[in-house]
Amino acid sequence: MIDYHIHTLLSDGKDTHEACLRMAAQYNMNEIGFSDHICLTFPHWSVAESNFVPMKEEIRKIKNIQELPFKVKFGIEMDYLPNREEEIKNVIDKLKVDYVIGSVHFINGWNFDTDPSSYINKSIDSLYTDYFELLQRSTSSGLFDIIGHADVIKKFGYYPSFKLTDLYKQAAKSFRKANIVIELNTSGLAKPCNEFYPSEEFLKICKKEKVPVTLGSDAHQAVDIARNFTKAINLLKATGYKQIAVFENRNRSFVSI
Ligand SMILES: [Zn+2]
Ligand SMILES: [Zn+2]
């Protein structure tokens, strides 16, 4: 069992790295990865630039702890901002991480996944079209190893008037072309949308396109680490997945589930 999507106090998580380690030790984990938010515009929920060095140092220390019963990886959840690819690449290269989750949290500067009140004034159809376009741009940028919560635009339970199948198919094709991994992110189950990211239909389409998958809880507190993972692994198996992706120094390999 691996959990590659965990936030700490350094971004918008509530707990320290140490508290997360203690919690993970209670489960039968093989690997965990810290993936605090990094964003070029430095919103309050992302790691401050002054904390880049302390973050690297903290992970280095943890990796040196001999008696941990699981591997620890250094990941980040990096915001995709269109037309700023070069700057994003520079930040990623400097941090020397094991893996990068690329996430879309902004549409035309609007931080849609933290602001449920503004959906009421928008065209939900356009939001979905715009979101999926950004998702594909983030995929083909070549900047990321993993696509974060691929259909997070559904978070607050607003859905378009059209069927999403075609957008899922286009996205899955772009994932395959970019040779990128998606995560099955379990946090959506506790949100108004009340399902994993991606949805079962989207996940099935990704499997058909042979898109590899990894697993993340998107925990913002230690107690949420590996939340709903039994359900997630059952879904992956039922969809036909037999292995999940892991990373080291941005090299990908697979473990059986
Ligand atoms: Zn996110
Ligand atoms: Zn996250």
Side-chain angles (χ1 to χ4, degrees), residues 19 54 171 201:
E201 185 195 3

Side-chain angles (χ1 to χ4, degrees), residues 5 7 37 77 103 105 113 149 218:
H5 198 142
H7 296 279
H37 289 287
E77 180 178 11
S103 291
H105 297 120
D113 77 319
H149 41 58
D218 217 338

Side-chain angles (χ1 to χ4, degrees), residues 3-242:
D3 189 344
Y4 263 15
H5 198 142
I6 298 171
H7 296 279
T8 75
L9 279 178
L10 286 180
S11 61
D12 57 349
K14 292 191 173 57
D15 291 313
T16 59
H17 289 80
E18 203 195 328
C20 293
L21 293 178
R22 273 201 306 272
M23 184 59 71
Q26 296 181 26
Y27 301 114
N28 196 16
M29 306 297 293
N30 301 98
E31 281 189 35
I32 67 164
F34 292 102
S35 60
D36 274 313
H37 289 287
I38 308 284
C39 183
L40 291 180
T41 56
F42 296 101
H44 64 89
W45 43 260
S46 72
V47 181
E49 199 163 13
S50 58
N51 274 330
F52 283 7
V53 172
M55 173 174 64
K56 284 168 76 169
E57 186 53 24
E58 183 68 29
I59 308 263
R60 193 192 61 78
K61 272 196 277 179
I62 291 168
K63 284 189 172 196
N64 282 333
I65 303 173
Q66 299 298 325
E67 61 270 24
L68 279 180
F70 44 78
K71 288 186 195 167
V72 175
K73 297 292 170 66
F74 178 21
I76 51 173
E77 180 178 11
M78 183 87 210
D79 265 83
Y80 176 69
L81 302 175
N83 305 316
R84 299 191 69 176
E85 287 82 356
E86 200 59 40
E87 293 164 86
I88 294 172
K89 185 179 183 312
N90 289 339
V91 172
I92 292 171
D93 287 349
K94 257 190 247 160
L95 289 171
K96 299 205 182 343
V97 291
D98 288 310
Y99 62 89
V100 184
I101 301 173
S103 291
V104 175
H105 297 120
F106 293 94
I107 296 173
N108 297 322
W110 175 46
N111 190 186
F112 66 86
D113 77 319
T114 59
D115 181 13
S117 64
S118 297
Y119 282 76
I120 215 94
N121 305 314
K122 311 237 186 234
S123 153
I124 306 301
D125 285 3
S126 313
L127 278 184
Y128 271 75
T129 319
D130 291 350
Y131 172 80
F132 275 88
E133 191 189 318
L134 284 167
L135 184 71
Q136 285 199 45
R137 283 181 71 174
S138 74
T139 302
S140 55
S141 71
L143 292 165
F144 309 123
D145 304 302
I146 300 165
I147 285 296
H149 41 58
D151 58 358
V152 70
I153 187 70
K154 71 184 177 188
K155 179 173 178 177
F156 297 112
Y158 292 93
Y159 295 95
S161 61
F162 53 84
K163 258 183 80 79
L164 284 161
T165 310
D166 285 344
L167 286 180
Y168 293 159
K169 283 183 180 166
Q170 286 167 28
K173 278 194 168 48
S174 76
F175 300 155
R176 182 178 190 176
K177 196 169 163 213
N179 190 22
I180 206 165
V181 172
I182 54 162
E183 61 167 4
L184 184 59
N185 181 315
T186 59
S187 70
L189 216 51
K191 300 292 181 331
C193 63
N194 191 29
E195 58 177 21
F196 293 147
Y197 312 115
S199 66
E200 281 191 42
E201 185 195 3
F202 196 0
L203 185 70
K204 272 185 197 150
I205 291 170
C206 288
K207 177 70 182 82
K208 220 173 177 176
E209 287 290 340
K210 300 189 170 62
V211 179
V213 69
T214 191
L215 201 48
S217 65
D218 217 338
H220 284 74
Q221 44 188 4
V223 71
D224 286 341
I225 289 172
R227 194 175 186 192
N228 287 310
F229 270 25
T230 307
K231 206 169 174 179
I233 288 168
N234 286 341
L235 174 63
L236 288 178
K237 286 180 176 167
T239 311
Y241 281 102
K242 295 188 167 56

